[in-house]
Amino acid sequence: LRDTGNEALAEKITPERTEQLFRKSLELEPAKPRNFQRAGDHFVAQENTGEAERCYARAFRLDRVDGNIVRHLADLYSNTDRPRDALHVLDVSLRDGGDDPQVAFDAAMLAFRLKQYDATLTYLEKFEQLAGENLWTSYYRGICHYEQGNYQEALESIDREEELGESTGWHLELMRAVAKSHLGDV
């Protein structure tokens, strides 16, 4: 109600009262993961990352496969310069049976950012198992193969990306040129 733009309500429901209500909801239902997630969302909006992390972490302990909860905690870790912690949360969720394709894609992108190319390939495979084949996955797969020195596999991934996109682009042509040069195919 405070965020609806109604100034009269905003004056009646202070930020302190809102926080008090969120804390009370956590006491009333301490085993409901979504309650902790909503409280975490509130604390993020209030820029209280410590309390937000506490709430998201508790929600995650209660439900490790709820993609919404997992992504909120991972985003908080990423936004506080802890990408390895974020990747750990995403990985635990997938290992525990999480089936949210966005969790798998986020894990792939974090692993890629951390230059963990084997892990990136694994998460991309999981993403495609959950969501089907998508644009950009073959592109990232190609980069991973290139970084690992698997130039022929990189070229195959580039070809697949072009098939899916029904076109090529400078990013693919550049990758192709570099991979071919490593293979001695000028």
Side-chain angles (χ1 to χ4, degrees):
L1 291 173
R2 286 186 48 76
D3 295 335
T4 62
N6 186 330
E7 292 179 19
L9 280 178
E11 289 176 15
K12 290 180 182 180
I13 306 170
T14 65
E16 293 79 16
R17 178 67 176 143
T18 305
E19 183 173 330
Q20 183 183 43
L21 291 170
F22 272 110
R23 290 187 188 280
K24 186 66 171 172
S25 76
L26 299 178
E27 291 173 19
L28 294 173
E29 303 232 35
K32 297 283 186 179
R34 286 288 178 113
N35 281 355
F36 284 92
Q37 181 203 330
R38 282 187 290 275
D41 293 346
H42 166 74
F43 289 118
V44 164
Q46 298 301 310
E47 299 180 2
N48 185 342
T49 56
E51 281 299 303
E53 180 179 342
R54 187 183 72 75
C55 290
Y56 288 152
R58 175 71 177 143
F60 180 69
R61 280 193 301 278
L62 293 169
D63 188 345
R64 290 181 170 198
V65 297
D66 183 320
N68 205 18
I69 291 169
V70 172
R71 288 191 318 274
H72 277 82
L73 180 57
D75 286 347
L76 184 113
Y77 286 151
S78 287
N79 293 336
T80 55
D81 295 326
R82 295 168 21 200
R84 292 186 192 286
D85 292 339
L87 183 57
H88 177 74
V89 166
L90 297 166
D91 184 74
V92 166
S93 178
L94 293 169
R95 288 178 190 270
D96 283 1
D99 60 359
D100 185 330
Q102 190 62 50
V103 169
F105 189 76
D106 290 352
M109 293 301 97
L110 267 172
F112 183 80
R113 190 171 107 198
L114 294 169
K115 298 181 180 180
Q116 297 177 4
Y117 301 115
D118 280 334
T120 302
L121 292 169
T122 300
Y123 295 131
L124 287 173
E125 183 178 322
K126 181 66 173 179
F127 170 68
E128 287 186 335
Q129 286 174 0
L130 297 171
E133 203 168 26
N134 282 271
L135 278 177
W136 291 102
T137 53
S138 291
Y139 171 70
Y140 284 108
R141 189 176 285 114
I143 292 174
C144 291
H145 288 308
Y146 174 83
E147 290 293 339
Q148 294 174 323
N150 301 325
Y151 305 116
Q152 189 58 48
E153 290 179 49
L155 289 171
E156 290 167 12
S157 295
I158 293 165
D159 291 342
R160 184 65 190 142
E161 184 69 19
E162 286 177 336
E163 286 174 31
L164 288 171
E166 299 177 357
S167 68
T168 192
W170 67 268
H171 61 298
L172 298 175
E173 291 300 323
L174 179 61
M175 278 185 60
R176 177 175 282 110
V178 175
K180 282 187 175 252
S181 74
H182 280 284
L183 292 170
D185 182 1
V186 292

